[in-house]
Amino acid sequence: MLNVENLRAGYSSVPVLHDVSIEVGAGEFVSIVGPNGAGKTTLFKTLSGTVPAMSGSIRFDGHDLLAVPPHRRPHLGIAHVPEGRQVFPSLSVLENLEMGAYTEAGRRSWKENLKRIYSWLPVLAERAAQPAGTLSGGEQQMVAIGRGLASAPKLLMLDEPSMGLAPTVADFIFDRLMDIRRDAGLTILLVEQRVAEALQFADHGYVLETGRVVLAGDSRKLSADDRVRQAYLGM
Amino acid sequence: MTEPQILLEGFLQALAAGLLVGAIYGLMCVGLAMIFGIMRVINFAQGDFMMLGMYVAFFILVGLGVNNLFGATIGPYVAILLAAPVLLLFGYLIHRLLISRVTGARTAGLEGEGHYAQLILTLGIALVLQNGSQVLFGSQLVSIRTPLSSAAWEIGPFWGDFVSVFINKGRGLAALFSVLAILGLWLVITRSRLGRSLRAAADNPEASTYMGIDVDRAYRTAFAIGTCITALAGGLLATNYPFHPFVGLEFVIIMYAGVVLGGMGSILGAFWGGMTIGLVQQLSTLVLPTQLQNTAIFVCFLLIVILRPQGFFGRVVERT
Ligand SMILES: Nc1ncnc2c1ncn2[C@@H]1O[C@H](COP(=O)(O)OP(=O)(O)OP(=O)(O)O)[C@@H](O)[C@H]1O
Ligand SMILES: [Mg+2]
């Protein structure tokens, strides 16, 4: 479904990603882990087009993504739940979800979708009329995820959904993600600092360090890899 | 009439005048609120966009024969309505050709987010529009008068046979249209998909892109709407107020004051900001010489800004 090949990208001609290749098959759950500053967020932004690619290719669902302007990419079925949540603070929770449904697919399936989102994340229904900026961090993360789901995506990209959250809240969010994946059969690409969980739930994973993929493979094998155990799992 | 009756009549008359002119100021301010309050673009040419709206309405009225077609009473309002889409297009083009170079993605992260460049650019646009209009239209006063501007409704008498308020029909109608325009815009902004996407783009441009919004186009649309709304206010004002190519200078400050008073980023707030200025201006004539009208506005403005810096309708939620 998503095929990234030899991608180089960065900020004002300073490359942050060097030669990154990644593959995500339809229905798969893929995790990307790596230390701070490795370029995980930059990779997501390049996929969404807010960071320009310097070379390489990105294919998504039969499209050459680099030829598609950034604001058209969500309409192809990519939902980006960005790092730091980035909800629309002055819009109500419901309006945030409606913004998610800005895509054609999201509009078509809005009613059923909203019901499902509320069933996964009931707190959004309780807070529907509240400005999203007044919610707690965990609630805002749920808004951001709900907003992504409202676009009826084929691929859901999540950039550190557990960032800055208490462990119990982060656990709750991971549980919900598993429910969502099971119920909706979504393809998920996850960037996470909580490496143990990220690999536990994923089908396969990539380890990104200073803009390069240094390890890749089946997530069980990755969790068992000595380098991963030492560097990320503290074992 | 007794002394208290005279005082009361003077007060009520000033109050009515303040409400009527305040409604038009409110509409003007709402136009600027779209551009400055919501999209955070500093536009010094807003007053001149208003002036352009006045002239376009004027030329549609006399040049395109709208006056003959619809008569002297309805004609002006038709002309003002027809001028609105012209200014919408004008705003769209000005943004596309010039403003977009100093806003949005190009200036994100720059010091002051491009505000310095916006300041200089829009000052330049203002000068070109003022001097260009002077060359093209001359500097004599013109107006879009309707016979309604010299007729009045009498309300009252309230106190025996005395104390009546006279409402100029032209001003009354202009105020009514202003309020309707604001309600319409408010519905669009709060209820429609377009309005929601404009608010989202103002809140967080990057996340808006992830929703599939063309952020550049959203900003352009907001700019065009803001231009059109202020120009509409200009047209309505012109039914009672003769104008000239430099008329924008008199109003651009009122607009900024109104938007700040209302609390940046709030459409209804900007309306109340403009309304407040209209009321202060008219009520101050009761106790101050007319020359001090504008001073009164600014004393009041300073007081409110000191006492309530977030404005009447300041956002509870800060932007990212
Ligand atoms: N806007 C920017 N301009 C210039 N350099 C940037 C910008 N954003 C990030 N970088 C640099 O790019 C590199 C990768 O950053 P990125 O945010 O992609 O890392 P990350 O893997 O997401 O890290 P974290 O785990 O902390 O979120 C870092 O060295 C960072 O300093
Ligand atoms: Mg990151």
Side-chain angles (χ1 to χ4, degrees), chain B residues 87-101:
Chain B
L87 268 291
L88 189 76
L89 184 68
F90 173 80
Y92 193 89
L93 289 176
I94 280 273
H95 191 278
R96 161 131 249 174
L97 298 174
L98 297 171
I99 308 286
S100 62
R101 291 171 201 280

Side-chain angles (χ1 to χ4, degrees), chain A residues 78-81 96-97 100-101 103 113 117 142-153 155-156 186, chain B residues 210-211:
Chain A
I78 298 180
H80 184 164
V81 180
N96 268 271
L97 299 178
T103 62
N113 239 348
I117 292 167
M142 293 179 215
V143 172
I145 293 173
R147 191 178 64 175
L149 293 169
S151 71
L155 170 69
L156 181 66
L186 265 179
Chain B
Y210 300 150
M211 302 301 113

Side-chain angles (χ1 to χ4, degrees), chain A residues 4 8 105 115 119 132 165 214:
Chain A
V4 179
R8 245 164 69 92
K115 244 187 251 147
S119 73
L165 302 183
V214 294

Side-chain angles (χ1 to χ4, degrees), chain A residues 36-37 39-42 83 159-160 163 191 193:
Chain A
N36 293 115
K40 306 181 295 294
T41 298
T42 305
E83 185 176 66
D159 194 345
E160 297 200 40
M163 185 178 175
V191 156
Q193 297 269 354

Side-chain angles (χ1 to χ4, degrees), chain A:
Chain A
M1 167 166 288
L2 178 73
N3 200 319
V4 179
E5 265 172 26
N6 310 110
L7 186 67
R8 245 164 69 92
Y11 304 90
S12 46
S13 77
V14 182
V16 168
L17 301 177
H18 318 269
D19 197 31
V20 170
S21 298
I22 275 178
E23 213 179 316
V24 182
E28 284 182 340
F29 188 131
V30 174
S31 288
I32 300 173
V33 299
N36 293 115
K40 306 181 295 294
T41 298
T42 305
L43 172 62
F44 269 24
K45 287 186 175 182
T46 314
L47 294 176
S48 283
T50 48
V51 165
M54 292 162 182
S55 62
S57 78
I58 307 175
R59 295 199 63 78
F60 173 74
D61 203 24
H63 301 270
D64 171 11
L65 216 49
L66 292 179
V68 179
H71 70 269
R72 290 302 311 165
R73 296 184 195 184
H75 299 278
L76 299 179
I78 298 180
H80 184 164
V81 180
E83 185 176 66
R85 337 191 211 291
Q86 306 220 27
V87 298
F88 301 113
S90 74
L91 271 58
S92 72
V93 168
L94 181 61
E95 285 177 326
N96 268 271
L97 299 178
E98 285 173 329
M99 285 321 301
Y102 195 78
T103 62
E104 288 92 28
R107 236 177 314 161
R108 249 182 282 122
S109 53
W110 166 244
K111 286 229 169 73
E112 314 89 85
N113 239 348
L114 185 67
K115 244 187 251 147
R116 288 206 306 178
I117 292 167
Y118 280 167
S119 73
W120 287 317
L121 305 164
V123 73
L124 299 187
E126 289 161 30
R127 300 296 167 97
Q130 196 172 322
T134 62
L135 300 181
S136 75
E139 289 164 341
Q140 289 193 15
Q141 187 62 60
M142 293 179 215
V143 172
I145 293 173
R147 191 178 64 175
L149 293 169
S151 71
K154 295 173 183 149
L155 170 69
L156 181 66
M157 307 200 305
L158 299 144
D159 194 345
E160 297 200 40
S162 73
M163 185 178 175
L165 302 183
T168 50
V169 182
D171 289 343
F172 174 82
I173 289 199
F174 276 117
D175 288 346
R176 285 290 89 87
L177 283 178
M178 295 320 292
D179 294 345
I180 291 165
R181 187 196 179 202
R182 195 190 52 234
D183 299 349
L186 265 179
T187 309
I188 296 182
L189 181 58
L190 171 74
V191 156
E192 219 1 277
Q193 297 269 354
R194 293 172 47 128
V195 175
E197 285 91 342
L199 292 180
Q200 175 194 338
F201 296 128
D203 299 316
H204 58 260
Y206 293 87
V207 179
L208 198 67
E209 280 176 12
T210 57
R212 287 191 172 79
V213 175
V214 294
L215 272 174
D218 183 88
S219 54
R220 240 171 297 268
K221 273 190 208 132
L222 277 185
S223 318
D225 187 282
D226 282 340
R227 283 167 293 178
V228 173
R229 288 165 67 92
Q230 269 178 10
Y232 300 108
L233 299 175
M235 291 186 240

Side-chain angles (χ1 to χ4, degrees), chain B residues 16-17 22 24 30 46 103 126 133 157 184 209 213 215-216 228 238-239 244 254 264 285 290:
Chain B
I24 301 183
V30 165
Q46 192 79 7
T103 53
S133 304
T209 306
I213 296 169
V215 173
D216 283 342
C228 168
T239 56
H244 52 84
I254 287 183
M264 309 269 297
T285 56
T290 345

